[in-house]
Amino acid sequence: MQPTAIDALLQETRVFPPSDEFVKRANISDPAVYDEAARDFEAFWAKHAEQCLHWFEKWHTVLEWNPPYAKWFIGGKLNACYNCVDRHAQTWRRNKAALIWEGEPGDERVLTYGDLHREVQKFANVLKSLGVQKGDRVCIYMPLIPEAAIAMLACARIGAPHSVVFGGFSADALADRIRDAQAKVLITADGGWRRGAIVPLKRNADDALRQTDSVQTVIVYQRIGGDYTVNMQEGRDHWWHELMQTAPLTCPAEPMDSEDLLYLLYTSGSTGKPKGIMHTTGGYMTGVTLTAKWVFDLKDEDVFWCTADVGWVTGHSYLVYGPLSNGATCVMYEGAPDYPDRDRFWAIVEKYRVTILYTAPTAIRAFMKWGEQYPRKHDLSSLRLLGSVGEPINPEAWMWYHEHIGGGRCPIVDTWWQTETGAIMITPLPSIVATKPGSATKPFPGIFPAILNDKGETVGTNQGGYLVITRPWPSMTRGLWGDPERFVQTYWSKYDGIYFTGDGARQDEDGYFWLLGRVDDVINVSGHRLSTMEVESALVDHHAVAEAAVIGVHHEIKGQGIAAFVIIKEGYTADESLKDALKQHVAQKIGAIARPDQVFFTADLPKTRSGKIMRRLLRDIAEGRALGDTTTLADPSVVQALKEKYEGQEE
Ligand code: WT7
């Protein structure tokens, strides 16, 4: 990547300041927090670690920093489960809803903090009775049901690090993760519901366990039941409900060292082997608790819905640990947004009077494509704050979210962070920072990002470069499980003592951060750097376009040319004149340099199960190579169909 000026930018001039009404009631509305944190970030984090968490014992040292190794709150003792459950169950919140759950078929359950307290203790006793000890890894492969959270919290309670594997992953992916973590116990379910069909979790688990040998015990929650039977291996497999019948009611929360491992979470990197991101207890809980409280302005009367699955870091930090640590009420929905119909999310918002919604741009673009008639069918007036995470949100989607979901009144927090960062890093504080559609705005107080060029120099205003974090922060990953070299190599070798995010970004004249996508998605056309994201934004800005993915392809003259894969909205015709119109539109929005060389119409894009477009595969298609690793795709047939279609088209 050549960090030269990006001279062709989508100009976004709209600014949305916080409303007086929002500011008046906000958890934090004094901009002085930014200066306070900048003056002494250790003191800032220490103050909030103390205020927002329960500690059995206080730390003696706030931070020990030997790059790339950080230790926070050294000597402190706490328990993540105690913070999320016990301390609320000991107050009036005992009878407050902790989880409001809805299954895809329409079944409903509400668990109060008191319920959670009882279930978690019982399940922790189950784990203990099966021989799970502090430090043992427990793998969780579950549908999005309350028991997934109960299992996580029970592990945290007894100090057994969990490794949650997304229920949409295959048996092979599960096996890789079990093997790498050497998990001793696997917690799963007979199955889960997805678009009316059963996801055969137990069958996948059985396949996975044939490939690995560390797991001695399997606990199976009966989610489907009825006629749906699964194989239970004598001596190895146990039903959750049977074990729970005899489990004692109380189990003390183990005082954990601040730096004890809370969990592992596998994420993909640039190579095929997934990385086991490690998070420890004190720093992680500080990061997620404070960000949940300030970014989402969480209050006791809120109904907070993070639509992520617990299989991703967003589910860990903002469906389980962050909101529960704050004593919030959380909605959890098991299924797909378009089942039985495309208004399911809005029906849920209306039914439970959701006040805060946190979802992903890919979902928002799908909603846009389906049309505003679906949200319009429902009363969304309970919403007061919206969030976005996972990829840059294009201004078009931001505006649609703002207007059609937020009714023009809800602030939008576009939150940039990563599995590795544990908690939100760049985001507006909704009562302090005016938002601009498409910008994640400012670093959270106590977080220090910078944008550097290849030489490690800070780039100028509006110049693209590498996004890095220059100082340690409490919830940063402590490393990669079993692979310290890769940890250093991936994140700490580009710049000395500085965390390399792998993302490109620029900062505008107001100091706002604009994320430009992964640096490997940055393309260089005739020596001009362009972000695939910018071109996509311009395409999606066209009224005929629902979704677009842009890649750089080899070009004899320009070095790289631009290929665009475009999904058009219903009612438009995929023809040559539309191709020309789209190319023209991009040229007009950004500049002639960004004009796509090729436009391909497609009905689908290859996406990972977390919704990220796999541009690497598009590049393979466009450059006529054999397809690389497709195991993380949500639907591998999409890419094969696209390849065939591509090869049959002119451009
Ligand atoms: C990568 C991290 C963090 C939870 C979900 C993804 C991209 C994430 C944003 C955002 C622009 C974003 C980055 C980052 N990303 N949020 N608000 N704006 N880009 O976690 O799977 O670890 O992915 O997602 O590229 O590096 P993840």
Side-chain angles (χ1 to χ4, degrees):
M1 175 165 120
Q2 296 284 309
T4 54
I6 294 179
D7 46 11
L9 291 169
L10 267 182
Q11 287 303 313
E12 180 53 65
T13 51
R14 292 168 286 202
V15 179
F16 296 82
S19 70
D20 291 346
E21 189 176 327
F22 197 93
V23 174
K24 240 187 292 165
R25 309 195 49 235
N27 282 343
I28 175 88
S29 54
D30 183 358
V33 288
Y34 285 100
D35 285 342
E36 182 201 331
R39 268 196 308 276
D40 187 345
F41 73 100
E42 289 186 37
F44 169 83
W45 285 115
K47 172 173 134 185
H48 292 289
E50 184 154 23
Q51 282 178 6
C52 67
L53 292 175
H54 164 275
W55 297 80
F56 295 117
E57 257 172 66
K58 208 188 147 173
W59 56 87
H60 53 74
T61 306
V62 176
L63 170 67
E64 198 184 278
W65 177 224
N66 299 308
Y69 302 104
K71 288 184 178 168
W72 282 87
F73 313 120
I74 304 166
K77 301 255 186 239
L78 77 166
N79 183 285
C81 177
Y82 187 95
N83 272 283
C84 290
V85 182
D86 299 51
R87 63 166 166 157
H88 308 305
Q90 288 156 7
T91 68
W92 66 270
R93 289 194 186 114
R94 184 160 194 87
N95 297 319
K96 174 184 171 170
L99 294 177
I100 298 175
W101 174 81
E102 183 161 303
E104 197 190 70
D107 37 348
E108 295 164 25
R109 287 165 62 194
V110 176
L111 278 84
T112 64
Y113 276 94
D115 294 332
L116 210 50
H117 193 217
R118 186 184 59 252
E119 295 298 301
V120 160
Q121 292 191 80
K122 284 173 66 183
F123 194 66
N125 280 326
V126 164
L127 291 174
K128 275 186 174 173
S129 73
L130 294 169
V132 179
Q133 292 176 357
K134 188 170 167 174
D136 289 341
R137 275 82 56 212
V138 173
C139 182
I140 300 176
Y141 181 63
M142 298 272 266
L144 195 50
I145 55 177
E147 282 67 24
I150 291 168
M152 290 164 75
L153 292 163
C155 287
R157 192 168 192 86
I158 62 172
H162 53 71
S163 165
V164 182
V165 176
F166 175 53
F169 271 127
S170 66
D172 288 357
L174 175 62
D176 286 344
R177 286 157 178 76
I178 289 174
R179 196 180 305 111
D180 193 79
Q182 286 293 296
K184 189 166 163 182
V185 171
L186 172 65
I187 305 169
T188 187
D190 52 353
W193 291 107
R194 187 79 187 170
R195 293 205 172 87
I198 294 169
V199 182
L201 294 170
K202 179 59 165 68
R203 207 189 311 148
N204 293 345
D206 289 339
D207 285 353
L209 293 182
R210 272 190 281 278
Q211 309 172 37
T212 55
D213 52 19
S214 63
V215 170
Q216 296 155 12
T217 307
V218 181
I219 304 171
V220 187
Y221 183 81
Q222 194 173 69
R223 162 69 186 123
I224 308 292
D227 296 340
Y228 186 74
T229 55
V230 294
N231 164 58
M232 295 292 279
Q233 185 175 310
E234 184 72 36
R236 185 193 71 178
D237 302 353
H238 308 267
W239 286 109
W240 174 297
H241 57 272
E242 288 177 4
L243 295 168
M244 288 290 265
Q245 261 166 20
T246 50
L249 278 175
T250 57
C251 170
E254 181 75 21
M256 302 294 287
D257 197 275
S258 237
E259 284 299 331
D260 276 339
L261 189 60
L262 176 61
Y263 68 76
L264 291 179
L265 182 58
Y266 285 85
T267 180
S268 19
S270 46
T271 71
K273 191 179 180 296
K275 305 182 273 197
I277 305 294
M278 299 198 283
H279 281 295
T280 57
T281 310
Y284 176 79
M285 287 302 293
T286 301
V288 299
T289 307
L290 188 66
T291 51
K293 182 170 175 178
W294 283 5
V295 175
F296 299 114
D297 191 42
L298 267 186
K299 305 207 181 67
D300 265 317
E301 54 273 33
D302 278 310
V303 177
F304 178 70
W305 184 19
C306 165
T307 67
D309 190 279
V310 284
W312 311 113
V313 74
T314 308
H316 282 62
S317 299
Y318 299 106
L319 184 55
V320 179
Y321 290 111
L324 295 181
S325 177
N326 280 286
T329 294
C330 304
V331 171
M332 193 188 243
Y333 165 58
E334 179 187 32
D338 55 352
Y339 191 86
D341 205 351
R342 291 168 166 180
D343 67 340
R344 185 65 184 268
F345 271 29
W346 319 123
I348 290 174
V349 168
E350 177 173 22
K351 182 167 165 191
Y352 302 110
R353 306 294 293 161
V354 172
T355 60
I356 305 165
L357 176 69
Y358 190 33
T359 193
T362 184
I364 297 165
R365 289 193 301 265
F367 300 141
M368 277 175 83
K369 178 181 156 200
W370 298 339
E372 62 219 53
Q373 65 274 23
Y374 294 103
R376 228 193 285 125
K377 281 205 282 198
H378 296 277
D379 176 7
L380 306 182
S381 63
S382 57
L383 288 170
R384 66 180 194 90
L385 179 64
L386 303 175
S388 172
V389 63
E391 56 176 313
I393 177 165
N394 40 294
E396 278 312 301
W398 197 102
M399 288 305 299
W400 190 91
Y401 198 29
H402 179 72
E403 281 169 29
H404 298 289
I405 307 305
R409 75 186 173 276
C410 303
I412 296 180
V413 287
D414 173 7
T415 60
W416 178 88
W417 57 295
Q418 307 176 298
T419 306
E420 293 86 340
T421 70
I424 291 168
M425 302 288 278
I426 303 179
T427 176
L429 288 180
S431 51
I432 301 178
V433 179
T435 54
K436 302 183 187 184
S439 170
T441 77
K442 305 254 180 183
F444 189 84
I447 301 295
F448 302 91
I451 301 173
L452 304 182
N453 65 18
D454 270 314
K455 295 192 203 112
E457 301 154 345
T458 308
V459 302
T461 300
N462 279 325
Q463 306 229 296
Y466 300 109
L467 179 67
V468 299
I469 315 291
T470 61
R471 296 186 196 177
W473 65 101
S475 65
M476 66 197 284
T477 178
R478 301 303 192 258
L480 303 183
W481 178 258
D483 205 346
E485 257 164 56
R486 189 175 178 195
F487 176 60
V488 174
Q489 177 57 34
T490 309
Y491 308 102
W492 302 94
S493 63
K494 190 160 177 67
Y495 306 107
D496 203 24
I498 291 179
Y499 174 80
F500 175 61
T501 65
D503 277 18
R506 67 177 170 97
Q507 249 182 310
D508 70 13
E509 39 295 311
D510 298 321
Y512 279 40
F513 284 81
W514 296 77
L515 277 300
L516 301 172
R518 301 295 301 192
V519 286
D520 34 14
D521 293 336
V522 172
I523 46 187
N524 188 322
V525 181
S526 305
H528 296 273
R529 254 201 26 214
L530 282 168
S531 155
T532 51
M533 173 60 201
E534 287 173 290
V535 183
E536 286 163 11
S537 272
L539 283 164
V540 174
D541 183 71
H542 189 277
H543 51 84
V545 176
E547 183 150 16
V550 164
I551 52 165
V553 287
H554 177 71
H555 189 286
E556 251 180 58
I557 314 252
K558 305 188 210 171
Q560 278 192 308
I562 298 172
F565 293 79
V566 174
I567 304 177
I568 55 172
K569 290 183 186 155
E570 276 155 43
Y572 289 88
T573 313
D575 58 14
E576 283 305 312
S577 81
L578 183 56
K579 278 188 186 175
D580 288 342
L582 295 183
K583 291 178 186 175
Q584 184 51 31
H585 187 74
V586 175
Q588 191 206 322
K589 281 300 265 196
I590 302 179
I593 188 72
R595 176 190 213 96
D597 300 274
Q598 308 168 348
V599 172
F600 293 96
F601 294 120
T602 175
D604 261 313
L605 288 166
K607 287 185 185 165
T608 62
R609 292 181 186 84
S610 59
K612 284 194 181 43
I613 296 168
M614 289 195 75
R615 292 189 184 72
R616 175 171 60 74
L617 295 176
L618 294 176
R619 282 194 290 270
D620 290 346
I621 292 174
E623 305 197 337
R625 282 191 296 269
L627 293 174
D629 180 16
T630 57
T631 54
T632 56
L633 282 177
D635 178 2
S637 67
V638 167
V639 69
Q640 198 52 47
L642 189 56
K643 185 172 164 67
E644 279 157 26
K645 185 166 175 222
Y646 183 97
E647 283 161 359
Q649 282 188 34
E650 298 265 319
E651 345 187 289

